[in-house]
Amino acid sequence: MEPLQPMAENIARFLRERGETVAICETTAGGLVSAALLSIPGASRYYAGAAVTYTGVARSTFLEIELEDYPGVRSSSEPYAQIIANTIRERLGATWGIGETGAAGPGGNVYGDASGHTCIAISGPTEYVETLETGLEDREENMWLFTKRTLEVFESVLRGSSSEES
């Protein structure tokens, strides 16, 4: 696995130079996206905060999101990733919001998504959402791959290009 530090440093530099902030809501990455960004000295200048909403109770408590308010939306989907990215950004007053939600494994999730499935959304001056399928059952490896891709997507959005060019 490539080190995450160079991406986190680039993201931190972009945010500091622009005077922007980021708030993060992670589920299956388990806080690793936040840890990567917090590992950079001076993170308090750009890191607004985060929530790891791995359970419905955490989602309800920290984000005050009830899925019945969003008919047809379920966890581990692109629309849900966008909802959590928007919500965490708004609740923490950040320029950017990142949402990540999926199934790390093993065995997939209750919605029928295979292990290695995650949806990543960026909310802010630019909106973006994508789904990643690793095809792997290894929980820890998936968590690191979800984190890496989330950082890649956010760095790409910050650079002003589509993540498909990453």
Side-chain angles (χ1 to χ4, degrees):
M1 169 78 65
E2 300 171 36
L4 302 176
Q5 189 82 9
M7 279 186 289
E9 288 172 349
N10 287 339
I11 289 166
R13 186 180 72 253
F14 287 136
L15 293 172
R16 283 192 310 257
E17 287 173 357
R18 299 173 188 181
E20 297 175 343
T21 56
V22 63
I24 302 165
C25 182
E26 305 175 58
T27 68
T28 48
L32 294 174
V33 175
S34 292
L37 293 176
L38 285 169
S39 74
I40 308 303
S44 61
R45 290 181 48 208
Y46 61 84
Y47 183 88
V52 177
T53 58
Y54 194 75
T55 64
V57 170
R59 177 189 63 233
S60 297
T61 302
F62 296 129
L63 300 180
E64 297 181 346
I65 293 174
E66 300 299 335
L67 286 182
E68 50 271 5
D69 295 336
Y70 300 92
V73 174
R74 65 170 179 85
S75 295
S76 304
S77 68
E78 289 186 2
Y80 179 71
Q82 197 68 60
I83 290 166
I84 63 176
N86 291 338
T87 302
I88 197 76
R89 178 180 56 80
E90 291 168 6
R91 288 183 71 89
L92 297 182
T95 312
W96 297 96
I98 298 174
E100 178 277 330
T101 179
N109 64 23
V110 298
Y111 307 107
D113 301 308
S115 297
H117 164 93
T118 199
C119 299
I120 301 161
I122 307 299
S123 170
T126 300
E127 303 283 318
Y128 181 82
V129 65
E130 76 170 38
T131 298
L132 171 67
E133 302 284 352
T134 70
L136 303 172
E137 285 289 323
D138 186 282
R139 182 179 188 82
E140 183 179 1
E141 186 172 0
N142 281 327
M143 291 173 72
W144 286 110
L145 290 170
F146 298 167
T147 300
K148 178 179 182 276
R149 185 62 190 153
T150 300
L151 292 171
E152 287 171 345
V153 165
F154 188 43
E155 181 182 11
S156 180
V157 168
L158 287 173
R159 287 182 185 277
S161 62
S162 75
S163 67
E164 296 163 358
E165 296 171 8
S166 299

